[in-house]
Amino acid sequence: MKFNIVEASMHKDSEGAFLGKTVFEVEGHKAAYEVTFFSKRGKEWDYSLNYAHESGIEAQFMQVDAALEEDDDWFDALLEAAQATLEA
């Protein structure tokens, strides 16, 4: 599956935790997705996958969720897009 990043952002909250998101489209999928990231120290990341705008096809959503779980390159590319927006 190929994906295209639409937008990304990341910032630190008042306690120094990292909060970010990346909106992306997957080739052939009806809906765009948004993955949000959270890390207390920027090392271990929690994430949540949602539809970016309107709901899509559940089977396609499950494919994307599985790709994020199983493919480190996918996850890293989406995380790095958000990290790249973090101001030093």
Side-chain angles (χ1 to χ4, degrees):
M1 287 187 290
K2 293 183 181 181
F3 65 87
N4 178 53
I5 294 172
V6 176
E7 72 177 88
S9 64
M10 184 171 284
H11 68 278
K12 284 186 176 181
D13 69 10
S14 61
E15 296 177 7
F18 295 87
L19 302 167
K21 74 172 184 176
T22 302
V23 176
F24 63 102
E25 300 168 330
V26 175
E27 189 175 277
H29 285 218
K30 175 185 173 190
Y33 303 95
E34 176 182 277
V35 60
T36 55
F37 300 102
F38 172 80
S39 177
K40 287 188 177 184
R41 295 182 183 87
K43 302 271 185 209
E44 295 178 17
W45 292 92
D46 291 325
Y47 77 93
S48 177
L49 179 65
N50 296 291
Y51 291 111
H53 307 292
E54 74 276 348
S55 295
I57 299 169
E58 184 177 356
Q60 291 177 341
F61 182 92
M62 298 306 288
Q63 286 177 328
V64 171
D65 192 41
L68 286 172
E69 280 286 326
E70 298 167 7
D71 189 335
D72 289 342
D73 291 336
W74 251 64
F75 184 87
D76 291 346
L78 295 169
L79 176 59
E80 288 168 7
Q83 288 175 317
T85 69
L86 186 64
E87 294 182 19

